[in-house]
Amino acid sequence: MRLPLIIASILCSVIYSSTSFAGPQKKPVNSRKLGLTIKVAGEGWGSARKEMIESVLYSVADELMSRLPKKLVVPIVVTHTDSNPVALYERGEKGEYRVELHARGENWHLYTYEFAHELCHILSNYEENARPGNSKYNQWFEETLCETASLYTLKNLAATWEKNPPSPDWGKETEKLNRFFDLLIAEGHRQLPPHAPLAEWLMSNEERLRQNPYLREKNEVVANLLLPLFQRDPENWSSLSYLNLEPGDASSSLQDYLRNWYLNAPPEHKTFIADVLALFDMRDVIIDAIPGEETLLAVADTSQVMSAAALQKMQDKK
């Protein structure tokens, strides 16, 4: 029965509707002015100049950030790798984050795609609970969010560069970003099977994802579904700062992992996280996390939302 989920969704909108939050359009951000430092170092970049790579990477950060997390007062140092892109767990000598990208030359769409993914890991506290022998059973969800970040950034950076490209001669770069986005989003393996709700799909695939978070073709199914939620309100990329904060998050159930995200997030992100939970059809997680009966009755307009007592009566009859 969907009633508890519907009630929770209505409740979230009632609780937070009186507070003024950012609208659907993300406010322009200059991540350099926020205090972010990105340093491209080393060799292997081919024909691309390091200062131009840095300009692209800052543009990526501008799309995903609305504020600077405290931990990013230290720089992000980016080097080239011939292997897979990665945000390394081991910090540099001065505490800097270390990211390796595979892109080279002037393939700005690839830099965008790769760096958005790795920056997402940093924003979502990827290094928390990353101790030797500590399996991160929910890492697949973080990997999924970071694929969503790549898709989002490709599409939105194309729109930004159409109006204000980093270089006047980059007329074709917007086209490349859009074309790459269209290619990825339409891949057959990213689509849910016909007549298969996500909750049902998750039951069939979650155990494999918990054992191997890098099943990209599985992660990308969910990434496609998460993308519209971020497109609707880009300010919610800041909600990543409240992931992976609890000691048990690495080994908990997905329900507990997402509940902790909901509980740790400030009010302006709770409706968004409730929407993510709704996508997975996790009714109990939402109901358990919302306020108790007295709070419900105090904040909810009874003409818009059923009281907790009435809801409980209906649940008791099921």
Side-chain angles (χ1 to χ4, degrees), residues 20-311:
S20 177
F21 299 124
Q25 297 300 317
K26 182 175 177 292
K27 298 175 183 177
V29 168
N30 186 320
S31 55
R32 292 180 195 251
K33 291 183 178 180
L34 289 177
L36 182 67
T37 300
I38 300 173
K39 176 66 175 177
V40 174
E43 304 301 327
W45 301 109
S47 60
R49 292 184 291 119
K50 292 177 183 177
E51 58 268 29
M52 287 307 300
I53 299 173
E54 288 177 0
S55 180
V56 172
L57 302 188
Y58 276 116
S59 293
V60 170
D62 292 348
E63 297 298 329
L64 293 177
M65 296 175 61
S66 56
R67 60 179 177 78
L68 188 75
K70 291 181 180 179
K71 64 182 182 177
L72 281 180
V73 296
V74 300
I76 300 175
V77 177
V78 182
T79 55
H80 183 267
T81 179
D82 290 327
S83 187
N84 294 324
V86 63
L88 297 173
Y89 287 116
E90 301 81 10
R91 302 277 197 99
E93 292 182 358
K94 298 181 179 180
E96 65 271 21
Y97 286 96
R98 299 162 60 209
V99 170
E100 296 180 351
L101 301 181
H102 182 265
R104 68 191 308 271
E106 297 184 352
N107 293 302
W108 308 125
H109 61 296
L110 297 181
Y111 290 99
T112 298
Y113 180 79
E114 294 178 13
F115 187 65
H117 184 108
E118 305 311 330
L119 179 59
C120 169
H121 279 305
I122 294 174
L123 294 175
S124 59
N125 307 304
Y126 76 114
E127 75 274 35
E128 294 292 330
N129 307 311
R131 295 178 294 275
N134 192 15
S135 298
K136 295 184 68 176
Y137 291 122
N138 293 303
Q139 185 181 338
W140 73 267
F141 182 76
E142 183 185 322
E143 295 293 339
T144 296
L145 283 175
C146 293
E147 174 63 20
T148 308
S150 292
L151 295 172
Y152 171 89
T153 307
L154 285 168
K155 189 65 175 177
N156 287 270
L157 191 55
T160 300
W161 281 1
E162 187 172 11
K163 298 177 181 177
N164 187 26
S167 176
D169 59 346
W170 281 23
K172 293 184 177 180
E173 297 307 319
T174 292
E175 181 183 346
K176 289 181 181 178
L177 291 169
N178 276 322
R179 191 164 60 242
F180 192 39
F181 170 86
D182 291 340
L183 174 68
L184 294 172
I185 204 78
E187 289 177 320
H189 71 264
R190 291 175 180 262
Q191 319 307 319
L192 272 177
H195 313 297
L198 180 58
E200 182 179 314
W201 178 93
L202 184 63
M203 287 181 62
S204 300
N205 292 280
E206 185 182 5
E207 187 54 38
R208 280 180 287 173
L209 286 164
R210 285 172 68 82
Q211 299 302 322
N212 181 1
Y214 304 111
L215 297 177
R216 299 301 184 193
E217 292 194 355
K218 303 295 184 184
N219 294 334
E220 290 164 0
V221 171
V222 185
N224 271 28
L225 297 172
L226 289 172
L227 180 60
L229 300 182
F230 284 104
Q231 290 282 24
R232 189 173 67 196
D233 189 353
E235 300 294 328
N236 281 309
W237 283 111
S238 293
S239 70
L240 301 188
S241 296
Y242 305 96
L243 265 176
N244 297 314
L245 294 180
E246 299 299 324
D249 280 345
S251 57
S252 69
S253 67
L254 180 63
Q255 287 87 344
D256 286 343
Y257 180 69
L258 296 180
R259 180 185 292 110
N260 288 339
W261 186 25
Y262 181 94
L263 292 173
N264 284 326
E268 61 265 31
H269 297 308
K270 288 189 184 294
T271 299
F272 165 76
I273 299 173
D275 287 342
V276 174
L277 289 163
L279 191 66
F280 288 105
D281 201 15
M282 292 183 178
R283 304 174 181 84
D284 293 341
V285 173
I286 299 175
I287 295 299
D288 289 348
I290 61 178
E293 181 176 335
E294 292 184 3
T295 305
L296 282 172
L297 296 175
V299 301
D301 179 347
T302 55
S303 66
Q304 293 178 287
V305 63
M306 187 181 302
S307 72
L311 173 60

Side-chain angles (χ1 to χ4, degrees), residues 2-19:
R2 287 187 167 273
L3 183 60
L5 184 59
I6 294 170
I7 295 298
S9 297
I10 295 174
L11 176 64
C12 286
S13 65
V14 171
I15 291 174
Y16 305 120
S17 62
S18 62
T19 309

